[in-house]
Amino acid sequence: MSYKIGWFSTGRDEAARELLRVVSDNIKQGRLAKLQISFVFSNRTKGEGRESDLFFKLVERLGIDLVSFSSQNFRPEMRRKALVQEKRGKLKLISHWRSLYDQEIIKRIDKFEVELIVLAGYMLIVGEKLCQKYPMINLHPAAPGGPRGTWQEVIWKLIEKNERQTGVMMHLVTPELDAGSPLTYCTFSTKGGKFDSLWENLEKKLNRKPLEEIKREEGEVEPLFKEIRKEGLKRELPLIVHTLKALSNKTIELRGEKLVKEGRIIEGCCLNEEINCEADMH
């Protein structure tokens, strides 16, 4: 009996393609023998971006059903107004727009009858309707209790707060961004070893200019930023594979918003031993 999942991704970069490819390879090679990706959903359509077009070609090559529905072109005038209001802290219109968009997604994917939806590089906040309809999990580039936001925002916040540790996690999706309970996670240190000289170099730069200026000038190539991202990326692929294996084998189960292991409700499953061992091999 297959454990059927849906896969949500905007497909905006190479990392999005790699996540899908690795999970698909693990299914074909028997490491995720009970898992089946029933469909891939993207909030872009062909022609909206070079990266997403490459993503669509990958989906086609893997032989998975693609469901694409452009968020950018869905009620564009309402969306534009809603985004302007959202910046001012007025959320009513954007919530309504998300609800309408989610209804359209449900119409397109309900026939697949999946047990779970995985968000992997999906760049929209999911509305309440979708969260209520399907169990959904998301890959997030921080440890439980860590910063929210994009991976870029997360890393800059870690640097700003001089954090000693970070990680990656899979968590339940809720309408509030990155606020769902952790499902699985792993952590790693951002101090000691190769990190110490990178922190020292950043400290020297901070003596001359503020962090905001460094962010503008160097961005993602700033050496400490780059190293934290590299260590996180090494763990993302193993974490998503281990999580899907545990779910498809029923080692862990989602019951509503509760995570159950061996009949007991748990608050997230730490996979440091498995994930860090694989990351060290890279």
Side-chain angles (χ1 to χ4, degrees), residues 14-30:
E14 187 181 349
R17 297 195 295 277
E18 185 69 357
L19 283 168
L20 179 61
R21 188 190 61 74
V22 166
V23 172
S24 178
D25 285 352
N26 273 270
I27 291 170
K28 286 172 184 169
Q29 291 158 11

Side-chain angles (χ1 to χ4, degrees), residues 9 39 76 120 122:
S9 179
F39 69 89
Y122 186 64

Side-chain angles (χ1 to χ4, degrees), residues 25-71:
D25 285 352
N26 273 270
I27 291 170
K28 286 172 184 169
Q29 291 158 11
R31 286 191 288 272
L32 289 171
K34 294 181 181 177
L35 196 74
Q36 179 191 333
I37 303 174
S38 296
F39 69 89
V40 170
F41 174 80
S42 176
N43 63 300
R44 287 184 182 175
T45 49
K46 286 178 183 176
E48 281 190 50
R50 178 183 172 276
E51 292 291 335
S52 46
D53 282 354
L54 289 171
F55 181 74
F56 298 149
K57 283 179 184 173
L58 171 65
V59 176
E60 194 177 315
R61 201 159 62 245
L62 296 174
I64 305 170
D65 283 331
L66 174 66
V67 181
S68 59
F69 183 61
S70 174
S71 54

Side-chain angles (χ1 to χ4, degrees), residues 204-214 217-218:
K204 286 174 188 171
K205 286 188 276 190
L206 287 169
N207 289 332
R208 300 192 303 271
K209 59 183 86 167
L211 184 61
E212 284 302 318
E213 198 172 321
I214 295 168
E217 289 176 359
E218 297 185 50

Side-chain angles (χ1 to χ4, degrees), residues 15-198:
R17 297 195 295 277
E18 185 69 357
L19 283 168
L20 179 61
R21 188 190 61 74
V22 166
V23 172
S24 178
D25 285 352
N26 273 270
I27 291 170
K28 286 172 184 169
Q29 291 158 11
R31 286 191 288 272
L32 289 171
K34 294 181 181 177
L35 196 74
Q36 179 191 333
I37 303 174
S38 296
F39 69 89
V40 170
F41 174 80
S42 176
N43 63 300
R44 287 184 182 175
T45 49
K46 286 178 183 176
E48 281 190 50
R50 178 183 172 276
E51 292 291 335
S52 46
D53 282 354
L54 289 171
F55 181 74
F56 298 149
K57 283 179 184 173
L58 171 65
V59 176
E60 194 177 315
R61 201 159 62 245
L62 296 174
I64 305 170
D65 283 331
L66 174 66
V67 181
S68 59
F69 183 61
S70 174
S71 54
Q72 188 175 302
N73 297 327
F74 177 69
R75 303 207 176 195
E77 191 57 31
M78 181 194 286
R79 178 178 174 271
R80 188 188 62 76
K81 286 180 184 172
L83 291 172
V84 169
Q85 289 184 16
E86 187 183 29
K87 284 180 182 172
R88 296 174 184 154
K90 297 177 180 176
L91 304 178
K92 190 174 179 181
L93 190 57
I94 194 68
S95 296
H96 180 52
W97 180 89
R98 282 190 189 119
S99 177
L100 294 172
Y101 183 71
D102 284 357
Q103 283 175 18
E104 293 299 322
I105 296 174
I106 291 167
K107 281 182 200 172
R108 288 160 171 77
I109 68 172
D110 210 32
K111 62 183 178 184
F112 293 101
E113 298 179 339
V114 293
E115 295 181 62
L116 179 77
I117 286 174
V118 178
L119 272 56
Y122 186 64
M123 303 314 294
L124 287 189
I125 294 174
V126 174
E128 208 167 314
K129 271 195 166 60
L130 263 178
C131 291
Q132 288 171 347
K133 178 79 177 169
Y134 308 100
M136 307 181 86
I137 61 174
N138 180 49
L139 176 67
H140 183 62
R148 299 179 186 181
T150 64
W151 62 265
Q152 292 96 333
E153 289 167 341
V154 166
I155 296 173
W156 285 122
K157 284 173 190 172
L158 291 168
I159 290 171
E160 193 178 330
K161 293 181 179 178
N162 199 20
E163 293 284 3
R164 300 191 64 83
Q165 184 176 270
T166 186
V168 291
M169 69 170 163
M170 299 292 296
H171 67 90
L172 284 171
V173 176
T174 64
E176 190 183 350
L177 181 65
D178 301 331
S181 306
L183 194 71
T184 57
Y185 64 93
C186 70
T187 59
F188 62 93
S189 176
T190 56
K191 302 283 184 176
K194 60 187 172 184
F195 281 107
D196 284 348
S197 61
L198 298 174

